[in-house]
Amino acid sequence: MPLLVMKFGGTSVADLARIKNAAGKVKREVERGYDVIVIVSAMSGKTNELVGWVEGTSPLYDAREYDAVVSSGENVTAGLMALTLQEMDVPARSWQGWQVPIQTTSAHAAARFVDIPRANIDAKFAEGFKVAVVAGFQGVSPEGRITTLGRGGSDTTAVAFAAAFAAERCDIYTDVDGVYTTDPRITSKARKLDRIAFEEMLELASLGAKVLQTRSVELAMRYKVRLRVLSSFEDTDENSGTLVCDEDEIMESKVVSGVAYSRDEAKMTLVRVEDRPGIAAAIFGPLADAGVNVDMIVQNISETDAPGDKRAYTDMTFSCPTNQVVRARKAIEAARDEGKFVYADLVTDSDVAKLSVVGIGMRSHAGVAARMFSALAAENVNIKVITTSEIKISVLIDRKYMELAVQALHDAFELEKA
């Protein structure tokens, strides 16, 4: 039998009525001739509740017990989904991570997949079962303890199962009906994309688009798993949603496919650091050790004006999430106190946003940066930092201009047109 993987997020299984709605979509695929592996998240809000219980018990909790508690939300959903399918006369059973078994590393709350053996689930399909409902987000460590994959882990679970079972496709059901050129809440001109390349989706996911979890897109790109993003709350067919696929499956790409943004960004600048070999490692090593997610980095070199001082100095600017500014400052100050480097000042701007245009068409078209910068200039939006890659241009701007800038770029690249 051909096989599909279908994943339902928390809002799609928020209560019994929504579980029944999701089960109806699974039944339709079974009636079309598929065996189905269903990956489910915890019911909406349940994981936050479980995390709150753990943190309320002890601020210095045992990560192994944290995983045991927090993973239970998916177990409940899997059981309820299997029961609902059985009521619809669909042969189904639920699977917890350890029953498959989904083998992971021992990094509790941030585990990574090691292997997903097929034998147990294949045996049940051979017996006549049509659906395996698997609890997402979880696995089992080499020591036999329950592990979890971190937030968004159910998306990653779904892609991993699609790769392991050579599924025809992996359908991700969520509360939106596909991937859009930008956030429809910011501009009504945002257009749903029929197809988007893995690389573009990976950039958009990492730059702030919340539709798919970054790790899941990385995994899909590595194993060439065709992903489809669909709405749980609309009737769907084979042409619904957005297909995330290999670049070769897209006839011809637009120069820019989408505009992404991240509202909660901060810009930090180390002023007048002595420029010498190893200075970047001295700065960013401690930041990495402190778990600070550094993104954009810009370095400016200038000579000192002090008489007789021929040393070169640099201003080192980088961006990070606003909730990591305090951690970053402490790491930098600790490294300075240890004598790793000195600086004249550390300037923080926590009122910026990151704006990015993404498209694989950039590889073969010139002038994208000029067009982007001209559109921002026309709206009197000042650019603070610029970084580029082969298929992306990102800038930092004042946060108050973010929505205006998104609209301006969407119009400049005519993304409302197919």
Side-chain angles (χ1 to χ4, degrees):
M1 286 288 185
L3 186 137
L4 279 184
V5 173
M6 303 173 70
K7 182 264 178 179
F8 294 94
T11 55
S12 303
V13 291
D15 52 37
L16 292 180
R18 290 190 176 182
I19 290 174
K20 186 174 182 179
N21 174 67
K25 294 180 181 298
V26 176
K27 182 179 181 180
R28 282 194 290 275
E29 297 298 350
V30 171
E31 290 171 345
R32 289 170 181 161
Y34 288 102
D35 286 340
V36 182
I37 297 175
V38 178
I39 309 296
V40 292
S41 298
M43 299 164 81
S44 183
K46 180 56 67 176
T47 300
N48 287 338
E49 181 183 39
L50 294 169
V51 171
W53 289 351
V54 172
E55 292 176 344
T57 302
S58 170
L60 299 174
Y61 52 77
D62 182 338
R64 295 165 297 185
E65 301 304 339
Y66 170 95
D67 278 357
V69 173
V70 173
S71 64
S72 64
E74 281 72 17
N75 296 341
V76 172
T77 311
L80 291 173
M81 177 66 79
L83 287 170
T84 304
L85 286 164
Q86 289 170 11
E87 285 297 304
M88 295 178 173
D89 295 322
V90 178
R93 66 153 283 183
S94 66
W95 297 80
Q96 296 179 17
W98 64 271
Q99 294 173 309
V100 175
I102 302 171
Q103 298 171 10
T104 73
T105 61
S106 300
H108 288 275
R112 303 188 80 84
F113 290 108
V114 174
D115 189 27
I116 300 178
R118 294 181 50 159
N120 289 341
I121 289 179
D122 278 343
K124 289 300 177 183
F125 281 140
E127 289 176 16
F129 281 84
K130 302 303 295 179
V131 180
V133 185
V134 180
F137 175 64
Q138 61 177 250
V140 60
S141 72
E143 297 79 24
R145 298 297 300 259
I146 293 171
T147 57
T148 63
L149 307 172
R151 285 305 178 95
S154 293
D155 280 358
T156 310
T157 303
V159 175
F161 268 83
F165 284 79
E168 185 175 302
R169 195 179 61 246
C170 178
D171 288 347
I172 305 290
Y173 284 85
T174 181
D175 52 3
V176 296
D177 61 349
V179 180
Y180 279 73
T181 50
T182 195
D183 190 339
R185 295 170 298 182
I186 289 182
T187 174
S188 59
K189 295 180 181 179
R191 175 177 58 87
K192 184 175 72 68
L193 298 166
D194 293 327
R195 296 187 177 213
I196 187 170
F198 288 125
E199 289 180 85
E200 293 173 316
M201 190 67 245
L202 183 59
E203 290 283 10
L204 290 172
S206 65
L207 292 168
K210 301 293 193 293
V211 179
L212 288 172
Q213 200 259 359
T214 305
R215 275 176 64 192
S216 69
V217 183
E218 290 176 345
L219 204 61
M221 185 164 66
R222 183 186 312 164
Y223 292 102
K224 304 297 183 186
V225 173
R226 299 168 85 241
L227 289 174
R228 194 167 60 143
V229 180
L230 301 147
S231 171
S232 296
F233 311 117
E234 296 180 2
D235 291 333
T236 58
D237 56 32
E238 61 273 11
N239 297 315
S240 300
T242 299
L243 183 67
V244 186
C245 56
D246 195 78
E247 183 179 343
D248 294 341
E249 292 190 56
I250 301 174
M251 186 69 70
E252 187 168 351
S253 298
K254 289 177 70 72
V255 178
V256 170
S257 295
V259 180
Y261 67 89
S262 176
R263 190 185 304 272
D264 299 319
E265 295 289 323
K267 178 171 73 77
M268 303 186 74
T269 301
L270 282 163
V271 179
R272 284 179 60 82
V273 182
E274 186 177 356
D275 188 50
R276 55 176 172 78
I279 191 64
I283 293 170
F284 294 106
L287 289 171
D289 293 341
V292 177
N293 294 318
V294 173
D295 182 20
M296 308 168 79
I297 301 173
V298 176
Q299 183 177 3
N300 295 314
I301 300 174
S302 60
E303 295 290 338
T304 179
D305 293 330
D309 188 350
K310 298 301 182 183
R311 291 174 296 180
Y313 291 89
T314 183
D315 292 345
M316 190 76 75
T317 298
F318 63 90
S319 67
C320 68
T322 52
N323 61 3
Q324 296 181 6
V325 167
V326 173
R327 192 188 311 170
R329 182 175 287 275
K330 287 181 178 178
I332 289 170
E333 291 173 349
R336 176 201 60 192
D337 294 343
E338 292 171 7
K340 294 182 178 180
F341 54 85
V342 295
Y343 55 88
D345 196 9
L346 176 56
V347 180
T348 300
D349 183 356
S350 296
D351 197 24
V352 298
K354 179 172 63 180
L355 199 62
S356 308
V357 295
V358 175
I360 54 177
M362 289 187 195
R363 292 178 180 145
S364 55
H365 289 79
V368 177
R371 194 170 174 183
M372 178 181 185
F373 302 154
S374 295
L376 295 175
E379 299 294 342
N380 204 30
V381 176
N382 186 46
I383 298 171
K384 296 174 177 288
V385 176
I386 303 168
T387 60
T388 65
S389 73
E390 191 179 26
I391 65 168
K392 171 197 73 177
I393 303 171
S394 295
V395 297
L396 286 184
I397 62 172
D398 287 329
R399 189 175 299 150
K400 64 183 179 181
Y401 296 120
M402 188 196 74
E403 294 190 6
L404 172 65
V406 169
Q407 293 167 354
L409 293 179
H410 199 276
D411 289 345
F413 289 101
E414 300 181 322
L415 297 184
E416 72 278 5
K417 298 179 181 179

